[in-house]
């Protein structure tokens, strides 16, 4: 067994081991366990990325039992890109949580609510294990199990925010479980007509099937289920309360990483598990339409928020829309050629990866301000920028990524999407992209500009309290995310070459 | 082909489902749910799925009913008296939309399900051919702990983290009480609702039998139906019964709960790591010592599942105090 193959298994199982250890340890040791595990995961990501860059596909047959009996782990291009992004964002956020324990939520002692939640560490490491399991899985049922691991820990992480976050967490739980069940129903239907659970074998078996109806129904069920988990527009209402009431280091995990797990599963279903189906065009157009609505409505709703965290959460809903805009281009139709489809696919991945980094940075910054000032009302935060120049710089860099300005992965994604739209002569996509970009400039300005204004009554704002060394270091972590937003913009070509490995076309 | 028993069972399931949904008293709903569980287990038996029937009876009915009985005793009336709020302007809209959606969903699913050409699973032959290498004789145990051990491992991870979430939402966030190694959760101190004395002695009488049944299910799993999940559910039920009849379990909870919770997952991952150490893939076990590995993993997983399910029961106590 080669080292990259070892890394494939270890990327899932070591964080789970870390989570188990954290359950029995006291609070300071949990922090150390968390940081050590994060560093090890980041190091284990490297051999997988190197192998994929060299054009090889690392694959591990667990237990030596071949599919359809056993489970395969495949580190293809899609997996590699999201593993890399998750390790980068996860490492920085772990460091942030270790430096500023206040950001991990509040727990109830015998007498009062105490900031700094020890329950964060096992749950976050478990969530990370689930994320890596989702990216690497080559088996439909295993995807369901991994998705459950992510969903359940994500719900529990929201609930760490104290009394006010319990209700949003419960709502999130219901949506997540319902979404999982719909996905499982689709998996069951596919397994009953193909007789296998392995992604590649499912595709081959479905290709030989005359009647596309079961596959189409399964795809519809899975798309609705995953649409709930990814918070596509009409199914988005759970996201804003959950993401904005979560503890300040949990919100970036949810918006940046957890949503991407559902997106990856959706792409696996549409592009890997199911071949191009005759009747699937209407579904792609429906998704494209919902994506358009999400971009427009999400941005307008973000513009109307008075508080910073809900504003950032609504911006997530708008950004989710971009990923679905590309769906009508994803499946090669009669006139379009496969190159357009691969371009659109590259656009979705670049947009989602760029969003993971930029949104993690912006949400951490918003949470930092909320923790420090006790409120995230934009009016009350006026002038906070004078005391936190580093933080404002980081927020600006992240905003560049969310707007899709060069240089950032957001720009690469929008550029690829526009190119594919020109090729397919879908001119409406330009309008949506332009409107979305303008609106996002509006809401980001609305969120960030007041921080730079002169405060009305100086020195009285909570932000004027002396800043501790720990807080300064936390600001640097956010700046790191901002810099990463721009730096990854230079890696667009690398991402495209990686996506070639083990691709569906 | 369809016998009278099947028809009666089917109608019974429908009737009892109504009974567990429509009434407004939580106690009646809970009893309806209990009976439903028994009927569903019988349905699984009729379908020749002994393993599913056991799991359904132990986890679906046994444990879930235990949680629901507790809830029904603590607060008999659901908030809002159990009725859905009707829309103020068009009161018939919600029921009509709900019924229409339900009917169309059932029709589409049934049509596709009946029309589709079903294929037998392709892993059947492979499973039979490779079963001797796994060290177990029962196919389902082979699937759970050898062929798809990775799924089982992630699932036990889910149960462990669910319990970790419960502990995190308890008082003191699942940490030891200050200056000691005792788990500082509040539930140990909270009084249980009063129960009739008959239950108390019945629980003490039943507990040894339940423990015996749980262990039998565990060890039968390698050759026959049963296994870690069913056995863990029965053992957790014994713990819940003991706690409900006010037997003092505080020492067990304070010192043993957290270690038991994680030991199954930790040993499972370590056993999976033997493969890479020997140059084999993750989670592979050589036929010579496969049985030893599977058995020790299964025993410790049972401990983890027992602790995890019992922790879920502890979650019922509100950390802010009884409202």
């Amino acid at each position: 067994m080669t080292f990259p193959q070892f890394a494939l298994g270890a990327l899932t199982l070591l964080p789970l081991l870390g989570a188990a250890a954290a359950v029995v340890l006291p609070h300071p040791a949990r922090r150390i366990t968390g940081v050590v595990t994060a560093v090890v995961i980041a190091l284990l990501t490297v051999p997988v990325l190197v192998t994929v860059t060299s054009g090889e596909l690392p694959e591990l047959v667990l237990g030596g039992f071949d599919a359809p009996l056993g489970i395969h782990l495949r580190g293809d291009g899609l997996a590699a890109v999201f593993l890399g992004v998750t390790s980068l964002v996860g490492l920085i956020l772990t460091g942030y949580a270790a430096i500023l324990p206040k950001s991990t939520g509040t727990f109830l002692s015998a007498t009062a609510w105490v900031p700094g939640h020890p329950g964060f560490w096992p749950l976050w490491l478990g969530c990370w294990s689930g994320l890596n399991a989702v990216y690497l899985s080559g088996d439909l049922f295993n995807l369901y199990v991994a998705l459950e691991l992510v969903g359940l820990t994500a719900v529990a992480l929201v609930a760490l925010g104290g009394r006010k976050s319990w209700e949003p967490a419960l709502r999130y739980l219901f949506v997540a479980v319902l979404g999982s069940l719909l996905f499982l129903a689709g998996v069951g239907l596919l397994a009953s007509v193909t007789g296998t659970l392995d992604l590649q074998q499912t595709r081959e078996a479905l290709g030989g099937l005359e009647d596309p109806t079961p596959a189409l129904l399964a795809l519809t069920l899975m798309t609705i289920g995953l649409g709930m988990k990814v918070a596509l527009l009409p199914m988005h209402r759970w996201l804003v309360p959950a993401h904005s009431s979560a503890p300040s280091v949990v919100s970036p995990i949810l918006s940046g990483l957890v949503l991407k797990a559902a997106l990856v599963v959706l792409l696996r279903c549409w592009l890997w598990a199911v071949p191009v189906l005759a009747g699937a065009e209407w579904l792609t157009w429906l998704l494209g339409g919902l994506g358009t609505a999400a971009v427009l409505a999400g941005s307008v709703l973000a513009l109307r928020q008075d508080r910073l965290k809900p504003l950032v959460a609504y911006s997530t809903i708008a950004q989710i829309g971009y990923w679905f805009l590309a769906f009508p281009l994803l499946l090669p139709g009669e006139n379009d050629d496969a190159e357009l489809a691969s371009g659109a696919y590259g656009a979705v991945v670049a947009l989602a990866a760029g969003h993971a980094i930029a949104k993690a940075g912006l949400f951490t910054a918003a949470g930092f301000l909320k923790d420090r000032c006790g409120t995230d009302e934009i009016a009350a935060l006026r002038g906070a920028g004078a005391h936190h120049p580093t933080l404002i710089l980081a927020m600006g860099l992240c905003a560049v990524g969310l707007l899709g300005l060069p240089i950032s992965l957001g720009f690469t994604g929008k550029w690829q999407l526009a190119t594919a739209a020109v090729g397919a002569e879908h001119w409406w996509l330009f309008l949506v992209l332009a409107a979305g970009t303008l609106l996002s400039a509006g809401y980001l300005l609305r969120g960030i500009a007041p921080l730079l204004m002169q405060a009305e009554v100086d020195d009285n704002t909570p932000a004027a309290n002396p800043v501790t060394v720990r807080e300064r270091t936390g600001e640097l972590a956010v700046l790191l995310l901002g810099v990463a937003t721009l730096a990854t913009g230079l890696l667009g070509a690398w991402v495209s070459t990686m996506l070639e490995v083990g691709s569906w076309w | 082909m369809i016998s009278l028993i099947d028809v009666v069972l089917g109608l019974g399931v429908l009737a009892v489902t109504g009974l567990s949904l429509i009434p407004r008293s939580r106690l009646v709903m809970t009893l309806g749910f209990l009976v439903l569980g028994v009927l569903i287990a019988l349905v699984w038996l009729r379908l020749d799925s002994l393993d599913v029937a056991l799991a359904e009876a132990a986890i679906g009915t046994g444990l879930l009913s235990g949680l629901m009985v507790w809830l029904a005793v603590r607060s008999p009336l659901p908030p809002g008296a159990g009725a859905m709020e009707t829309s103020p302007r068009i009161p018939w809209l919600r029921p009509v939309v709900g019924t229409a959606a339900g009917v169309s969903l059932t029709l589409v699913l049934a049509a596709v399900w009946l029309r589709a050409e079903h294929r037998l699973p392709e892993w059947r032959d492979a499973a039979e051919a490779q079963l001797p290498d796994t060290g177990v004789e029962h196919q389902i145990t082979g699937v759970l702990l050898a062929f798809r051990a990775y799924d089982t491992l992630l699932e036990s991870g889910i149960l462990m983290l669910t319990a970790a979430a419960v502990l995190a939402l308890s008082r003191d966030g699942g940490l030891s009480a200050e200056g000691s190694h005792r788990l500082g959760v509040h539930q140990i101190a909270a009084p249980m609702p009063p129960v009739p004395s008959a239950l108390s002695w019945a629980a003490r009488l039943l507990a040894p039998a339940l423990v015996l049944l749980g262990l039998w299910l565990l060890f039968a799993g390698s050759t026959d139906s049963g296994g870690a999940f069913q056995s863990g559910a029965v053992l957790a039920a014994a713990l819940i019964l003991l706690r409900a009849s006010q037997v003092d379990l505080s020492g067990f909870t304070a010192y043993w709960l957290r270690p038991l919770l994680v030991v199954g997952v930790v040993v499972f991952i370590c056993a999976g790591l033997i493969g890479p150490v020997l140059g084999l893939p993750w989670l592979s076990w050589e036929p010579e010592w496969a049985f030893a590995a599977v058995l020790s993993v299964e025993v410790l997983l049972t401990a983890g599942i027992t602790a995890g399910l019992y922790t879920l029961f502890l979650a019922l106590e509100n950390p802010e105090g009884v409202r």
Side-chain angles (χ1 to χ4, degrees):
Chain A
M1 197 178 62
T2 60
F3 190 64
Q5 283 180 325
F6 170 77
L8 289 187
L11 276 170
T12 314
L13 297 182
L14 284 188
L16 198 59
L17 196 62
V23 171
V24 284
L25 291 172
H27 196 174
R30 288 187 184 194
R31 286 215 296 262
I32 297 168
T33 313
V35 173
V36 170
T37 315
V39 172
V40 173
I41 299 173
L43 291 177
L44 282 170
T45 315
V46 176
V48 179
L49 289 185
V50 170
T51 318
V52 174
T53 311
S54 68
E56 282 172 54
L57 172 75
E59 183 167 3
L60 175 67
V61 184
L62 286 167
F65 299 108
D66 279 311
L69 186 60
I71 300 169
H72 289 223
L73 297 186
R74 294 193 188 95
D76 60 1
L78 183 67
V81 171
F82 281 99
L83 273 180
V85 169
T86 304
S87 292
L88 175 72
V89 175
L91 187 61
I92 296 175
L93 289 179
T94 308
Y96 181 83
I99 296 164
L100 292 171
K102 205 164 85 171
S103 64
T104 54
T106 55
F107 70 94
L108 196 63
S109 77
T111 44
W113 288 94
V114 185
H117 206 308
F120 168 80
W121 293 104
L123 291 170
W124 158 229
L125 291 177
C127 184
W128 200 342
S129 159
L131 289 169
N132 287 348
V134 166
Y135 303 147
L136 292 170
S137 177
D139 181 281
L140 279 169
F141 184 74
N142 185 246
L143 274 175
Y144 163 76
V145 178
L147 209 53
E148 279 291 88
L149 185 53
V150 175
L152 209 109
T153 45
V155 168
L157 282 169
V158 171
L160 300 184
R163 185 78 187 82
K164 273 185 199 157
S165 67
W166 289 353
E167 206 175 310
L170 190 65
R171 197 160 152 186
Y172 182 17
L173 179 69
F174 289 150
V175 173
V177 169
L178 187 59
S180 295
L181 285 181
L182 285 170
F183 177 72
L184 188 61
V187 171
L189 194 56
L190 281 185
S192 77
V193 294
T194 60
T196 178
L197 286 165
D198 185 74
L199 282 174
Q200 283 178 359
Q201 291 178 351
T202 303
R203 189 186 179 84
E204 285 158 20
L206 285 178
L209 225 58
E210 277 177 25
D211 183 13
T213 341
L216 192 60
L217 180 68
L219 192 61
T220 315
L221 284 173
M222 296 197 281
T223 308
I224 298 174
L226 293 167
M228 287 178 154
K229 281 178 168 277
V230 95
L232 180 60
L233 182 75
M235 303 168 270
H236 68 284
R237 288 282 294 278
W238 61 267
L239 184 141
V240 177
H243 285 203
S244 50
S245 67
S248 45
V249 75
V250 172
S251 312
I253 291 172
L254 295 178
S255 249
L257 305 176
V258 170
L259 291 178
K260 307 303 181 297
L263 179 72
V264 167
V265 178
L266 194 67
L267 289 173
R268 289 267 185 239
C269 292
W270 273 85
L271 303 175
W272 273 265
V274 178
V276 180
L277 294 173
E281 284 93 4
W282 66 271
L283 200 54
T284 61
W285 281 102
L286 181 69
L287 287 178
L290 291 178
T292 309
V295 169
L296 300 178
S299 307
V300 171
L301 285 168
L303 266 173
R304 294 178 48 175
Q305 299 306 309
D306 298 322
R307 287 165 51 213
L308 201 51
K309 280 184 87 171
L311 186 149
V312 183
Y314 271 112
S315 130
T316 299
I317 288 175
Q319 300 275 333
I320 290 163
Y322 285 122
W323 314 333
F324 287 90
L325 280 183
F327 266 79
L329 302 170
L330 266 185
L331 300 184
E334 289 163 23
N335 303 321
D336 316 335
D337 56 306
E339 210 160 295
L340 286 182
S342 66
Y345 162 67
V348 178
V349 174
L351 280 169
H355 177 256
I357 302 169
K359 185 51 65 69
L362 197 60
F363 239 138
T364 319
F368 179 89
L369 288 172
K370 189 179 181 182
D371 279 348
R372 189 160 158 72
C373 307
T375 174
D376 62 342
E377 273 180 48
I378 296 171
L381 292 175
R382 214 179 140 94
H387 308 282
H388 302 284
T390 323
L391 196 72
I392 302 298
L393 175 64
M395 288 173 92
L397 295 177
C398 294
V400 168
L402 289 178
L403 275 171
L405 299 179
I407 35 176
S408 65
L409 274 180
F411 174 73
T412 317
K414 279 187 180 172
W415 180 262
Q416 280 177 322
L417 192 57
T419 319
V422 172
E425 295 177 358
H426 285 319
W427 303 106
W428 59 272
L429 251 170
F430 272 102
L431 287 179
V432 181
L433 280 179
T437 308
L438 281 178
L439 283 170
S440 53
Y443 64 70
L444 287 170
L445 214 58
R446 189 177 144 70
I448 299 177
L451 305 176
L452 295 168
M453 308 260 186
Q454 183 87 40
E456 276 151 19
V457 193
D458 220 358
D459 297 336
N460 239 351
T461 49
N465 295 336
V467 186
T468 60
V469 180
R470 276 174 178 268
E471 283 173 323
R472 284 279 176 241
T473 326
E475 284 183 347
L476 281 182
V478 187
L479 184 66
L480 220 52
L481 283 170
V483 173
T485 306
L486 294 202
T488 47
L490 301 169
L491 304 178
W494 186 39
V495 169
S496 304
T497 39
M498 279 210 284
L499 287 180
E500 299 272 331
V501 177
S503 67
W504 45 278
W505 60 76
Chain B
M1 285 288 276
I2 298 176
S3 73
L4 191 64
I5 303 177
D6 295 324
V7 175
V8 172
L9 262 182
L11 289 178
V13 167
L14 280 181
V16 180
T17 310
L19 189 67
S20 57
L21 285 178
I22 298 166
R24 292 190 174 189
S25 148
R26 274 188 173 159
L27 214 52
V28 180
M29 289 163 102
T30 308
L31 288 179
F33 183 78
L34 249 168
V35 180
L36 179 68
V38 174
L39 287 183
I40 297 274
L42 286 178
V43 169
W44 283 116
L45 275 182
R46 287 287 300 165
L47 293 171
D48 281 336
S49 307
L50 182 58
D51 280 275
V52 186
L54 274 175
E56 173 65 39
I59 300 182
T61 309
L63 277 179
L64 201 53
S65 303
L67 302 188
M68 288 171 74
V69 167
W70 192 95
L71 199 66
V73 171
R74 261 285 146 89
S75 41
L77 279 187
M84 275 266 285
E85 289 169 40
T86 48
S87 156
R89 281 191 207 149
I90 328 168
W92 49 266
L93 188 66
R94 266 193 199 166
V96 168
V97 170
T99 315
V103 168
S104 49
L105 198 65
T106 315
L107 285 181
V108 170
L109 276 177
V112 173
W113 188 261
L114 292 176
R115 266 178 46 197
E117 233 179 274
H118 294 277
R119 272 205 230 173
L120 284 177
E122 282 175 16
W123 53 80
R124 286 197 161 203
D125 300 333
E128 257 169 49
Q130 302 203 32
L131 195 62
D133 296 344
T134 60
V136 291
E137 289 160 37
H138 189 54
Q139 269 214 5
I140 292 180
T141 313
V143 168
L144 285 179
L145 285 171
F147 304 141
R148 298 184 72 91
Y150 182 55
D151 276 342
T152 312
L153 176 50
L154 289 188
E155 270 160 19
S156 15
I158 292 177
L159 185 59
M160 178 191 82
L161 288 163
T162 314
V166 169
L167 291 181
L169 296 182
S170 303
R171 240 177 261 171
D172 285 342
L175 288 177
S176 304
E178 252 173 69
S180 75
H181 296 292
R182 292 174 63 90
L183 178 62
V185 294
H186 62 285
Q187 290 93 339
I188 307 170
M192 290 295 293
V195 287
S197 61
L199 179 69
S200 188
W201 66 258
R204 283 162 198 256
L205 211 61
L206 270 176
L210 278 176
V211 170
L212 201 63
L213 175 66
L215 291 179
W216 182 77
L217 279 173
L218 166 63
F219 289 106
S222 61
T223 50
D224 206 340
S225 297
F229 278 92
Q230 290 94 332
S231 161
V234 171
L235 291 176
L239 284 177
I240 291 175
L241 261 182
L242 285 178
R243 178 160 159 71
S245 50
Q246 273 134 8
V247 175
D248 185 23
L249 292 175
S250 59
F252 167 79
T253 319
Y255 294 108
W256 287 99
L257 196 63
R258 279 178 304 180
L260 281 180
L261 203 56
V262 301
V263 68
V265 173
V266 170
V267 170
F268 206 155
I269 296 177
C270 292
L273 191 59
I274 299 177
V277 169
L278 297 177
L280 300 167
W282 275 93
L283 293 167
S284 40
W285 294 314
E286 293 273 14
E288 296 93 62
W289 44 269
F291 181 72
V294 166
L295 191 69
S296 40
V297 164
E298 192 158 24
V299 169
L300 292 169
L301 262 192
T302 308
I305 291 164
T306 309
L309 292 174
Y310 176 64
T311 314
L312 296 190
F313 177 74
L314 289 181
L316 291 167
E317 205 77 52
N318 186 349
E320 287 187 315
V322 180
R323 274 187 295 174

